[in-house]
């Protein structure tokens, strides 16, 4: 489908128009607090097929279904008490729950799995749009499959502008990393499928038991569908360095980019190929900027991108997860 995307602001008139397009089975790129999504009617196989096609996403990689209110959870999923507890604690917000699906959700949305991944986002424009559309919206990240996720309408237009028709601009994503995904199919054995801004410690606290990490994939087998090693990857080679220092960067190749989490060394001018995510190394702010900085460096003509490897728990775990995937070949 040859198309040129038009970007819409979130006026009531525009939201009503985009909701009508969604009801008609078309797809719309939407702002969320995690990353921009490519949304379509989650109850329509045809709409879901359009999402997979526009992204070039393999159909064995299931979509996340987004709802506007907790009471819609039962329309798409068979909830358990643990799911309700977590929904109450963290929704609206960046937590996705995997639960048995209902008949409303077509097999294509869940890649044929009997389970569905569901989330109630906090971005006000996205929630308004879901309400107006009157159906849950399936939405993976609005980028070509495998590339760095988009955190602004401009990122979406740049990558998918010729493959989709509608983009809703809701500003830069405030979190900047994809949601935490928790598998609650066996509610007594919750499994963290993807780390995100909602941390393992927060989940442990609300559930009053430690969530498990997925078993390590052996020889290329997938831990969870879609959680393949290479993902979120710039075209430029990414290399992670534990304990990266300014000295090392200065001694390294000058046509490479050196990306620190905080500003390395507080004084003096730094070489033009040295970058940082947040001046003070605040991990939340670093997460918010990670994907847009990776995109800029990817477009900057560098031979390779060398990144300080984040360490520690909490959101550092989510940053590390994305960077390890970006660096995987
Ligand atoms: P995203 O790429 O951000 O849209 O996240 C979607 C990811 O959620 C998929 O790649 C899977 O890892 C996970 N997921 C979605 N649906 C399911 C499901 N039914 N069961 C297990 N994992 C799922
Ligand atoms: Mg994605």
């Amino acid at each position: 489908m040859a198309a040129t995307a038009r970007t819409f602001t979130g006026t009531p008139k525009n939201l009503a128009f985009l909701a009508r397009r969604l009801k008609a089975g078309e797809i719309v790129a939407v702002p969320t607090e995690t990353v921009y999504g490519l949304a379509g009617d989650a109850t329509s196989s045809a709409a879901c097929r359009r999402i997979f096609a526009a992204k070039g996403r393999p159909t064995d990689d299931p979509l996340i279904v987004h709802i506007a209110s907790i009471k819609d959870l039962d329309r798409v999923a068979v909830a358990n008490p643990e799911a309700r507890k977590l929904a109450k604690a963290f929704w609206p917000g960046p937590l996705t729950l995997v639960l048995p699906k209902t008949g409303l959700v077509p097999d294509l949305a869940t890649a044929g799995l009997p389970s569905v991944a569901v989330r109630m986002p906090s971005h006000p424009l996205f929630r308004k749009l879901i309400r107006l559309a009157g159906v849950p919206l399936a939405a993976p990240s609005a980028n070509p499959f495998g590339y760095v996720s988009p955190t602004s309408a401009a990122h979406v237009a740049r990558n998918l502008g010729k493959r989709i028709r509608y983009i809703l601009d809701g500003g830069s994503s405030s979190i900047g990393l994809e949601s935490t995904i928790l598998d609650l199919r066996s509610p007594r054995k919750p499994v963290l499928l993807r780390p995100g801004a909602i941390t393992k410690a927060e989940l442990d606290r609300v559930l009053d038991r430690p969530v498990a990490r997925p078993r390590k994939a052996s020889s290329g087998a997938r831990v969870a569908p879609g959680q393949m090693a290479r993902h979120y990857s710039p075209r430029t080679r990414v290399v992670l360095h534990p304990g990266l220092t300014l000295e090392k960067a200065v001694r390294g190749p000058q046509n490479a980019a050196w990306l620190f989490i905080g500003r390395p060394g507080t004084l003096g001018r730094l070489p033009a190929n040295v970058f940082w995510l947040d001046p003070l190394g605040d991990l939340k702010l670093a997460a918010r900027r990670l994907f847009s900085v990776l995109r800029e460096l990817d477009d900057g003509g560098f031979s390779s991108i060398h990144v300080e490897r984040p360490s520690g728990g909490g959101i550092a775990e989510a940053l590390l997860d994305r960077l390890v995937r970006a660096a995987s070949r």
Side-chain angles (χ1 to χ4, degrees):
M1 173 185 58
T4 303
R6 243 186 87 193
T7 297
F8 295 75
T9 56
T11 63
K13 198 174 144 223
N14 288 346
L15 291 174
F17 169 75
L18 294 172
R20 285 198 301 276
R21 302 325 313 150
L22 286 163
K23 279 192 219 179
E26 296 200 55
I27 58 178
V28 177
V30 295
T32 94
E33 71 277 21
T34 58
V35 301
Y36 271 65
L38 186 57
D41 179 352
T43 69
S44 155
S45 290
C48 292
R49 192 166 297 118
R50 289 199 176 102
I51 293 173
F52 284 106
K55 270 184 71 82
R57 177 171 171 125
T59 50
D60 64 355
D61 190 356
L63 307 176
I64 293 176
V65 171
H66 296 78
I67 55 176
S69 111
I70 291 193
K71 65 182 197 302
D72 290 335
L73 175 59
D74 301 313
R75 292 177 69 192
V76 296
V78 182
N80 47 49
E82 285 77 4
R84 292 191 202 284
K85 221 172 168 180
L86 290 169
K88 209 171 152 208
F90 298 113
W91 285 359
L95 176 66
T96 298
L97 303 174
V98 176
L99 291 165
K101 81 175 190 78
T102 66
L104 186 69
V105 182
D107 286 340
L108 191 61
T110 66
L113 293 168
S115 56
V116 63
V118 56
R119 173 169 106 82
M120 175 180 167
S122 68
H123 197 293
L125 290 184
F126 187 23
R127 281 217 352 254
K128 269 186 202 158
L129 191 61
I130 304 171
R131 271 219 180 85
L132 289 170
V135 284
L137 296 180
S141 50
N143 55 327
F145 182 71
Y147 191 59
V148 182
S149 294
T151 53
S152 72
H155 292 165
V156 180
R158 169 110 203 243
N159 294 151
L160 293 181
K162 292 200 163 53
R163 315 190 108 227
I164 62 174
R165 297 178 66 181
Y166 311 109
I167 301 172
L168 174 60
D169 188 347
S172 289
S173 297
S174 58
I175 290 170
L177 296 179
E178 298 82 353
S179 59
T180 304
I181 304 181
L182 187 70
D183 185 352
L184 275 179
R185 280 173 293 183
S186 306
R188 263 163 298 281
K189 273 200 233 144
V191 179
L192 186 67
L193 296 181
R194 179 171 73 188
I198 307 274
T199 63
K200 172 172 156 43
E202 290 177 289
L203 297 171
D204 291 352
R205 183 155 13 88
V206 170
L207 286 175
D208 207 17
R209 67 158 58 96
V211 307
R213 291 171 203 281
R215 282 171 287 117
K216 276 270 179 296
S218 57
S219 62
R222 290 194 196 169
V223 175
Q227 296 300 300
M228 55 278 289
R230 183 173 167 80
H231 208 144
Y232 319 109
S233 298
R235 295 172 300 271
T236 317
R237 185 169 68 101
V238 173
V239 186
L240 292 184
H241 299 267
L244 182 63
T245 59
L246 187 55
E247 290 67 39
K248 182 164 179 183
V250 170
R251 281 198 317 267
Q254 291 309 293
N255 54 357
W258 297 86
L259 177 59
F260 292 81
I261 294 169
R263 189 186 197 278
T266 45
L267 293 170
R269 264 172 67 94
L270 293 171
N273 63 336
V274 169
F275 304 87
W276 52 92
L277 291 171
D278 177 71
L280 300 176
D282 179 310
L283 289 176
K284 271 194 180 161
L285 299 176
R288 185 183 289 175
R289 288 192 65 230
L290 175 68
F291 288 150
S292 67
V293 170
L294 283 180
R295 282 166 171 266
E296 279 170 35
L297 297 181
D298 200 21
D299 291 339
F302 295 102
S303 56
S304 49
I305 303 170
H306 298 264
V307 187
E308 177 183 0
R309 184 185 167 98
S311 61
I315 197 157
E317 210 185 316
L319 271 167
L320 178 61
D321 172 80
R322 304 312 186 272
L323 283 168
V324 166
R325 289 175 203 281
S328 147
R329 287 271 124 179

